[in-house]
Amino acid sequence: DTGVGKSSIVCRFVQDHFDHNISPTIFHSLAPMYYRGSAAAVIVYDITKQDSFHTLKKWVKELKEHGPERIVVAIAGNKCDLSDIREVPLKDAKEYAESIGAIVVETSAKNAINIEELFQGI
Ligand SMILES: Nc1nc2c(ncn2[C@@H]2O[C@H](COP(=O)(O)OP(=O)(O)OP(=O)(O)O)[C@@H](O)[C@H]2O)c(=O)[nH]1
């Protein structure tokens, strides 16, 4: 979903840096260009937004239908530094991930939590 922290996770992983005012990326229509031929996909939701977890499930469906066969899927529940305003229980994410054979981890691009583990997991 928009604003869940995709760019921030990449920025944290590649540059070990966090930007509070990062600009939005226009993305959905270009997604097939990125996942075609990919060995792995990281799908990100925001643990403080139930809607973003719902959107994540749509992305998984799209990947299963149109993505490469046997693509490795990793689910990142980002913004875990905001767990006091959490809307998505980790248990829900774990159950869903298990049902689709995906890796799941809660991350914080802001506080550099589990970013390394996310990519190592893949
Ligand atoms: N508290 C907190 N804020 C975060 C975290 N990651 C990203 N943000 C903030 O969330 C907002 C959106 O981050 P982006 O990295 O642009 O999210 P995106 O998913 O790439 O967004 P789009 O490009 O719009 O799809 C920014 O204000 C970030 O600073 C995090 O781990 N914790």
Side-chain angles (χ1 to χ4, degrees), residues 1-9 18-25 78-82 107-111:
D1 217 343
T2 58
V4 294
K6 300 177 295 295
S7 301
S8 298
I9 286 176
F18 181 76
D19 180 359
H20 281 273
N21 300 309
I22 194 161
S23 1
T25 318
N78 194 42
K79 308 197 186 179
C80 72
D81 55 288
L82 300 177
T107 57
S108 168
K110 184 177 182 185
N111 292 356

Short mmCIF file of all heavy atoms in Angstrom, two decimals, residues 1-9 18-25 78-82 107-111, ligand 1:
data_model
loop_
_atom_site.label_atom_id
_atom_site.label_comp_id
_atom_site.label_asym_id
_atom_site.label_seq_id
_atom_site.Cartn_x
_atom_site.Cartn_y
_atom_site.Cartn_z
N ASP A 1 0.85 -1.18 0.00
CA ASP A 1 0.00 0.00 0.00
C ASP A 1 0.89 1.24 0.00
O ASP A 1 2.08 1.15 0.31
CB ASP A 1 -0.89 -0.02 1.25
CG ASP A 1 -2.29 0.53 0.95
OD1 ASP A 1 -2.45 1.19 -0.08
OD2 ASP A 1 -3.19 0.27 1.74
N THR A 2 0.32 2.40 -0.29
CA THR A 2 1.15 3.62 -0.27
C THR A 2 1.50 4.01 1.17
O THR A 2 0.70 3.82 2.08
CB THR A 2 0.42 4.81 -0.94
OG1 THR A 2 -0.79 5.03 -0.23
CG2 THR A 2 0.14 4.55 -2.39
N GLY A 3 2.69 4.52 1.34
CA GLY A 3 3.11 5.06 2.63
C GLY A 3 3.42 4.04 3.71
O GLY A 3 3.56 4.39 4.87
N VAL A 4 3.53 2.76 3.35
CA VAL A 4 3.80 1.74 4.37
C VAL A 4 5.28 1.69 4.74
O VAL A 4 5.64 1.14 5.78
CB VAL A 4 3.32 0.34 3.93
CG1 VAL A 4 1.80 0.30 3.82
CG2 VAL A 4 3.97 -0.11 2.63
N GLY A 5 6.13 2.24 3.86
CA GLY A 5 7.57 2.32 4.16
C GLY A 5 8.47 1.51 3.24
O GLY A 5 9.59 1.16 3.61
N LYS A 6 8.00 1.23 2.02
CA LYS A 6 8.81 0.43 1.08
C LYS A 6 10.14 1.11 0.77
O LYS A 6 11.21 0.52 0.88
CB LYS A 6 8.03 0.20 -0.23
CG LYS A 6 6.71 -0.53 -0.03
CD LYS A 6 5.93 -0.68 -1.33
CE LYS A 6 5.46 0.64 -1.93
NZ LYS A 6 4.46 1.36 -1.11
N SER A 7 10.05 2.40 0.36
CA SER A 7 11.27 3.13 0.02
C SER A 7 12.18 3.24 1.24
O SER A 7 13.41 3.11 1.13
CB SER A 7 10.94 4.54 -0.47
OG SER A 7 10.10 4.47 -1.60
N SER A 8 11.57 3.42 2.42
CA SER A 8 12.36 3.57 3.65
C SER A 8 13.12 2.30 4.00
O SER A 8 14.25 2.35 4.48
CB SER A 8 11.45 3.96 4.81
OG SER A 8 10.84 5.21 4.55
N ILE A 9 12.49 1.13 3.74
CA ILE A 9 13.15 -0.14 4.02
C ILE A 9 14.36 -0.31 3.10
O ILE A 9 15.45 -0.67 3.53
CB ILE A 9 12.17 -1.32 3.87
CG1 ILE A 9 11.22 -1.35 5.08
CG2 ILE A 9 12.91 -2.66 3.74
CD1 ILE A 9 10.12 -2.40 5.01
N PHE A 18 17.62 6.93 7.27
CA PHE A 18 16.16 7.09 7.33
C PHE A 18 15.79 8.54 7.07
O PHE A 18 16.41 9.45 7.62
CB PHE A 18 15.63 6.66 8.71
CG PHE A 18 14.14 6.78 8.85
CD1 PHE A 18 13.30 5.85 8.25
CD2 PHE A 18 13.57 7.83 9.56
CE1 PHE A 18 11.91 5.95 8.37
CE2 PHE A 18 12.19 7.94 9.68
CZ PHE A 18 11.36 7.00 9.09
N ASP A 19 14.78 8.77 6.19
CA ASP A 19 14.36 10.12 5.82
C ASP A 19 12.89 10.31 6.20
O ASP A 19 12.03 9.60 5.69
CB ASP A 19 14.56 10.27 4.30
CG ASP A 19 14.15 11.65 3.80
OD1 ASP A 19 13.70 12.47 4.62
OD2 ASP A 19 14.30 11.89 2.59
N HIS A 20 12.59 11.23 7.10
CA HIS A 20 11.20 11.47 7.53
C HIS A 20 10.33 12.02 6.40
O HIS A 20 9.12 11.88 6.42
CB HIS A 20 11.17 12.47 8.71
CG HIS A 20 11.52 11.82 10.00
ND1 HIS A 20 10.59 11.20 10.78
CD2 HIS A 20 12.71 11.68 10.64
CE1 HIS A 20 11.18 10.70 11.86
NE2 HIS A 20 12.47 10.98 11.79
N ASN A 21 10.94 12.72 5.44
CA ASN A 21 10.16 13.41 4.40
C ASN A 21 10.37 12.81 3.01
O ASN A 21 10.43 13.52 2.03
CB ASN A 21 10.54 14.90 4.38
CG ASN A 21 10.27 15.54 5.72
OD1 ASN A 21 9.16 15.40 6.25
ND2 ASN A 21 11.27 16.19 6.28
N ILE A 22 10.44 11.50 2.97
CA ILE A 22 10.68 10.81 1.70
C ILE A 22 9.46 10.97 0.78
O ILE A 22 8.32 10.99 1.26
CB ILE A 22 11.02 9.33 2.01
CG1 ILE A 22 11.60 8.60 0.83
CG2 ILE A 22 9.83 8.58 2.59
CD1 ILE A 22 12.35 7.33 1.24
N SER A 23 9.68 11.14 -0.54
CA SER A 23 8.52 11.39 -1.42
C SER A 23 7.85 10.10 -1.89
O SER A 23 8.50 9.08 -2.03
CB SER A 23 8.91 12.19 -2.66
OG SER A 23 10.21 12.50 -2.69
N PRO A 24 6.53 10.19 -2.15
CA PRO A 24 5.79 9.01 -2.60
C PRO A 24 6.28 8.50 -3.97
O PRO A 24 6.73 9.29 -4.79
CB PRO A 24 4.36 9.51 -2.75
CG PRO A 24 4.29 10.78 -2.01
CD PRO A 24 5.67 11.37 -2.02
N THR A 25 6.17 7.21 -4.18
CA THR A 25 6.54 6.61 -5.45
C THR A 25 5.24 6.21 -6.16
O THR A 25 4.36 5.64 -5.54
CB THR A 25 7.35 5.31 -5.20
OG1 THR A 25 8.27 5.54 -4.15
CG2 THR A 25 8.08 4.86 -6.44
N ASN A 78 5.88 -3.35 8.54
CA ASN A 78 6.77 -2.23 8.86
C ASN A 78 6.16 -1.28 9.90
O ASN A 78 4.98 -1.37 10.21
CB ASN A 78 7.12 -1.47 7.58
CG ASN A 78 8.29 -0.52 7.76
OD1 ASN A 78 9.28 -0.86 8.42
ND2 ASN A 78 8.19 0.68 7.22
N LYS A 79 6.98 -0.39 10.43
CA LYS A 79 6.66 0.61 11.46
C LYS A 79 6.41 -0.06 12.81
O LYS A 79 5.56 0.37 13.59
CB LYS A 79 5.47 1.50 11.04
CG LYS A 79 5.65 2.13 9.64
CD LYS A 79 4.72 3.28 9.38
CE LYS A 79 4.87 3.75 7.92
NZ LYS A 79 3.97 4.88 7.60
N CYS A 80 7.17 -1.12 13.11
CA CYS A 80 6.97 -1.82 14.38
C CYS A 80 7.42 -0.96 15.56
O CYS A 80 7.13 -1.28 16.71
CB CYS A 80 7.63 -3.19 14.39
SG CYS A 80 9.41 -3.19 14.46
N ASP A 81 8.10 0.17 15.28
CA ASP A 81 8.39 1.13 16.35
C ASP A 81 7.10 1.79 16.86
O ASP A 81 7.10 2.39 17.94
CB ASP A 81 9.37 2.21 15.84
CG ASP A 81 8.88 2.90 14.58
OD1 ASP A 81 8.89 2.27 13.50
OD2 ASP A 81 8.47 4.06 14.66
N LEU A 82 6.01 1.68 16.08
CA LEU A 82 4.72 2.28 16.49
C LEU A 82 3.76 1.22 17.03
O LEU A 82 2.54 1.31 16.85
CB LEU A 82 4.07 2.99 15.28
CG LEU A 82 4.88 4.13 14.64
CD1 LEU A 82 4.14 4.68 13.42
CD2 LEU A 82 5.13 5.25 15.65
N THR A 107 9.27 -5.09 10.88
CA THR A 107 10.45 -4.26 10.66
C THR A 107 10.19 -2.83 11.13
O THR A 107 9.04 -2.40 11.26
CB THR A 107 10.79 -4.19 9.15
OG1 THR A 107 9.64 -3.70 8.45
CG2 THR A 107 11.20 -5.54 8.61
N SER A 108 11.27 -2.11 11.34
CA SER A 108 11.19 -0.66 11.44
C SER A 108 12.35 -0.08 10.65
O SER A 108 13.51 -0.25 11.03
CB SER A 108 11.28 -0.20 12.90
OG SER A 108 11.47 1.22 12.93
N ALA A 109 12.00 0.56 9.54
CA ALA A 109 13.04 1.24 8.75
C ALA A 109 13.59 2.40 9.59
O ALA A 109 14.77 2.72 9.53
CB ALA A 109 12.46 1.75 7.44
N LYS A 110 12.70 2.98 10.40
CA LYS A 110 13.09 4.12 11.22
C LYS A 110 14.16 3.73 12.23
O LYS A 110 15.19 4.39 12.34
CB LYS A 110 11.86 4.67 11.94
CG LYS A 110 12.15 5.92 12.73
CD LYS A 110 10.91 6.49 13.37
CE LYS A 110 11.26 7.77 14.10
NZ LYS A 110 10.09 8.29 14.82
N ASN A 111 13.90 2.66 12.96
CA ASN A 111 14.83 2.28 14.04
C ASN A 111 15.77 1.14 13.65
O ASN A 111 16.42 0.57 14.51
CB ASN A 111 14.03 1.89 15.29
CG ASN A 111 13.33 3.08 15.92
OD1 ASN A 111 13.48 4.20 15.46
ND2 ASN A 111 12.54 2.85 16.95
N1 LIG B 1 7.49 5.45 12.39
C1 LIG B 1 7.92 4.96 11.22
N2 LIG B 1 7.71 5.66 10.08
C2 LIG B 1 8.17 5.12 8.92
C3 LIG B 1 8.85 3.88 8.86
N3 LIG B 1 9.15 3.62 7.57
C4 LIG B 1 8.69 4.65 6.86
N4 LIG B 1 8.11 5.57 7.65
C5 LIG B 1 7.49 6.86 7.25
O1 LIG B 1 6.32 6.54 6.49
C6 LIG B 1 6.18 7.46 5.42
C7 LIG B 1 6.13 6.68 4.09
O2 LIG B 1 7.39 6.07 3.88
P1 LIG B 1 7.87 5.64 2.42
O3 LIG B 1 9.16 4.91 2.55
O4 LIG B 1 7.76 6.79 1.44
O5 LIG B 1 6.70 4.60 2.06
P2 LIG B 1 6.40 3.93 0.64
O6 LIG B 1 5.73 2.64 0.95
O7 LIG B 1 7.63 3.87 -0.19
O8 LIG B 1 5.35 4.99 0.07
P3 LIG B 1 4.84 5.23 -1.44
O9 LIG B 1 6.04 5.62 -2.22
O10 LIG B 1 3.84 6.34 -1.29
O11 LIG B 1 4.19 3.97 -1.92
C8 LIG B 1 7.34 8.44 5.51
O12 LIG B 1 6.89 9.58 6.21
C9 LIG B 1 8.38 7.67 6.30
O13 LIG B 1 9.25 8.53 7.01
C10 LIG B 1 9.06 3.15 10.10
O14 LIG B 1 9.64 2.07 10.17
N5 LIG B 1 8.57 3.76 11.24
#
